[in-house]
Amino acid sequence: MKRAGIITGVLVLLLATLYFTATGPVNQEPYFESDYYKESCSKIDGLKGNYTSSNDSLLAGFAKVSITPRLNTTEDNAEEGKFIQVPLAGFGARKGAPATGIHDSIFVKAAALKIADRLLVFVGADLLIIPPNVTDSVMVALSAKGIQRDQLFFSATHTHSSLGAWAPGWVGEQFSGEYNPKLAKWLTRQIVMAVTTAVSDLKPASLATGDFDAAQYTRNRLIGARGTTNDDFSFIYLQQNNGKKVVIGSFAAHATTMGDKNMQISGDYPGYWQRKMENTSVDYAIFFAGSVGSQTNVGEGEGFEKPKFIGEALADSLNAHLQNIPLKNKITASSLTLKMTLPEYHIRLSTQRNLATSLCRKLNPIPDNSVLQVVRLGNMIWITTPADFSGEYALQIKNALAAKGYQANVSSFNGSYLGYIIPGKYFYLDKYEPKDMGWFGPTMGDYTMDLIHQLSKIVI
């Protein structure tokens, strides 16, 4: 008995030691007293010192490149987009199972804008996110062609029924299936092709921006009716002189209409929106997921009828707003890109304890290329973020800029991924967004908002 007690005591001591070395307390430090905040503010001061804007005639060019894979081939081919199998990204419940077919084709699209010597390229893809490792590979290829990271503004539609296999690391593979470097290489190739084709298509063009209320198609999924939502559908409309027409649209509702039971590749409701726009009024429609953090879709119908209902209803509303919209061929444009200095990264175990950063990085490598970007196009301030960004936060940003006479939009998935960025008041809720995906502590949201407000003040 004495020996058993000693063994038990040793085991308890070992487990306690392991617990305290493998975990740490949740950091409650005010962000504005932290070194990472001071470093980011110093970077913003540098951006402010070098800031310029352009006011000139507009050139625009567009491109559309397929990322629809050929399935069930005998071998993987990264040049031709042929794969033995491709898992769907978006739901861990699928457990990495391969797609059974293709319901609708998916694409990466790009719109290049040039004002004086300033080149800006908006890139949207029918993907869950823009994978950070793919972004890095894209930038290696584009930098060789003279196109830099601060000229590119990425987003994904956030469809949960698109290509997986692009994420290395244990956590990434839970949501996107087993990593396939050949698929990541193919995605890189297609995105680079879209960007370079759009830049080569630059022609004199005109632009209009706007938004409209679409509250009936989104809701707060975190706390229901007690929560607020970012209800606006925002857009940038571009038209080459006597040529092609393109619209970039952004809306804050998760593209999860089909759920984890769907095993066919699909663009979800953003795919239906894009096809309806391209069949009625524009040559290309590009969808940027808006501030989808805590917001999900609302619609009617079963199966694929629900995404069709939402996507085509949004297209019908946008078409009505594009009727006789005034276009400008000379605009004021500027942009800022801030590489964020991040707080310590943790996967949360409880309200008081986190898994140690070193272990977290082994499970889910966090990218070091995370940026916040602010673009001004005339009266529109377009902000891109590296996360599922909170709709409640986006509404605050839009209201603040509206008070100064500007339209605004906040999009997600800009080429990196930092989990969910939502208000700190929700950090201790026992729910997926703050508990499983709130990787940077309770002050990450307010920290990010502070940086966005600082950047926005420079461009207006």
Side-chain angles (χ1 to χ4, degrees):
M1 290 293 293
K2 183 176 180 181
R3 183 179 180 185
I6 292 172
I7 293 172
T8 300
V10 170
L11 288 174
V12 169
L13 181 62
L14 287 173
L15 288 172
T17 302
L18 178 63
Y19 176 75
F20 283 104
T21 56
T23 70
V26 171
N27 186 359
Q28 304 287 347
E29 177 189 24
Y31 74 88
F32 45 81
E33 294 180 354
S34 68
D35 289 339
Y36 63 82
Y37 176 68
K38 294 171 185 175
E39 186 173 334
S40 286
C41 288
S42 177
K43 292 177 183 178
I44 291 175
D45 288 340
L47 293 174
K48 188 185 302 182
N50 295 314
Y51 172 74
T52 61
S53 65
S54 303
N55 182 266
D56 209 332
S57 299
L58 171 68
L59 301 176
F62 318 118
K64 176 179 179 179
V65 175
S66 176
I67 53 171
T68 309
R70 289 181 60 183
L71 302 175
N72 305 316
T73 60
T74 56
E75 62 179 4
D76 292 342
N77 186 317
E79 279 66 46
E80 299 179 18
K82 297 178 180 179
F83 301 97
I84 300 170
Q85 62 181 30
V86 176
L88 294 183
F91 294 105
R94 290 185 177 128
K95 300 186 182 303
T100 58
I102 296 166
H103 181 272
D104 47 270
S105 297
I106 54 176
F107 300 90
V108 56
K109 302 172 187 175
L113 291 73
K114 191 171 186 182
I115 306 93
D117 59 354
R118 185 184 303 271
L119 177 68
L120 311 171
V121 187
F122 289 76
V123 184
D126 293 314
L127 296 170
L128 180 71
I129 65 172
I130 304 294
N133 52 306
V134 172
T135 301
D136 290 343
S137 299
V138 166
M139 290 320 307
V140 169
L142 290 178
S143 295
K145 300 177 185 294
I147 300 173
Q148 305 304 318
R149 181 66 182 89
D150 60 3
Q151 296 174 291
L152 293 170
F153 307 91
F154 292 103
S155 187
T157 60
H158 203 43
T159 170
H160 283 52
S161 294
S162 184
L163 310 173
W166 35 252
W170 184 84
V171 172
E173 291 190 351
Q174 304 314 298
F175 292 93
S176 67
E178 184 179 356
Y179 178 59
N180 183 345
K182 289 187 177 180
L183 188 137
K185 181 179 178 181
W186 178 62
L187 275 180
T188 297
R189 179 178 181 274
Q190 303 305 92
I191 293 171
V192 170
M193 186 187 305
V195 172
T196 55
T197 303
V199 172
S200 68
D201 184 50
L202 288 168
K203 296 178 178 65
S206 299
L207 172 146
T209 62
D211 54 50
F212 59 87
D213 181 80
Q216 64 267 45
Y217 305 113
T218 188
R219 65 178 175 84
N220 188 309
R221 72 177 186 182
L222 190 61
I223 59 172
R226 292 172 296 161
T228 55
T229 55
N230 173 19
D231 297 335
D232 289 340
F233 187 103
S234 300
F235 63 89
I236 300 169
Y237 179 67
L238 296 156
Q239 181 176 331
Q240 291 179 338
N241 295 358
N242 301 315
K244 295 189 291 288
K245 301 174 184 177
V246 170
V247 66
I248 304 168
S250 184
F251 187 55
H254 260 76
T256 51
T257 63
M258 300 302 300
D260 58 58
K261 302 305 180 186
N262 175 53
M263 293 305 300
Q264 296 184 76
I265 288 174
S266 172
D268 206 284
Y269 82 82
Y272 279 97
W273 174 80
Q274 290 174 97
R275 289 190 295 277
K276 181 68 179 287
M277 292 302 301
E278 291 174 356
N279 288 332
T280 55
S281 60
V282 299
D283 296 278
Y284 303 143
I286 306 173
F287 189 91
F288 272 43
S291 48
V292 296
S294 308
Q295 294 196 203
T296 193
N297 59 80
V298 177
E300 301 175 6
E302 299 295 328
F304 282 98
E305 287 301 310
K306 184 176 180 182
K308 183 175 188 291
F309 173 85
I310 298 171
E312 294 192 353
L314 290 170
D316 290 340
S317 296
L318 178 56
N319 276 329
H321 282 81
L322 293 180
Q323 295 292 323
N324 303 314
I325 191 168
L327 293 161
K328 296 182 179 179
N329 59 14
K330 186 176 182 180
I331 63 169
T332 298
S334 62
S335 65
L336 293 169
T337 295
L338 171 69
K339 184 176 179 180
M340 300 175 69
T341 301
L342 297 174
E344 270 199 41
Y345 162 51
H346 297 289
I347 294 173
R348 198 176 110 192
L349 298 176
S350 70
T351 58
Q352 300 299 321
R353 303 294 292 183
N354 291 317
L355 193 63
T357 298
S358 58
L359 294 177
C360 294
R361 290 189 179 278
K362 291 183 182 298
L363 292 172
N364 184 38
I366 285 292
D368 61 2
N369 62 352
S370 300
V371 298
L372 290 172
Q373 294 176 293
V374 177
V375 185
R376 178 183 174 184
L377 294 173
N379 197 47
M380 171 67 79
I381 311 299
W382 197 281
I383 299 158
T384 80
T385 65
D388 282 83
F389 191 78
S390 164
E392 293 192 34
Y393 271 149
L395 184 61
Q396 295 175 31
I397 293 167
K398 293 173 75 170
N399 288 341
L401 288 168
K404 299 180 183 297
Y406 291 90
Q407 303 165 330
N409 180 63
V410 184
S411 64
S412 300
F413 318 116
N414 72 356
S416 186
Y417 190 65
L418 301 178
Y420 276 72
I421 295 179
I422 61 175
K425 63 186 178 182
Y426 299 133
F427 182 76
Y428 295 101
L429 287 178
D430 187 22
K431 293 192 175 184
Y432 168 77
E433 293 188 11
K435 183 178 180 181
D436 298 333
M437 303 297 288
W439 297 334
F440 294 93
T443 64
M444 179 63 172
D446 287 345
Y447 166 58
T448 306
M449 283 287 283
D450 190 319
L451 301 183
I452 290 173
H453 283 303
Q454 290 190 57
L455 292 170
S456 298
K457 288 178 182 177
I458 299 172
V459 302
I460 61 177

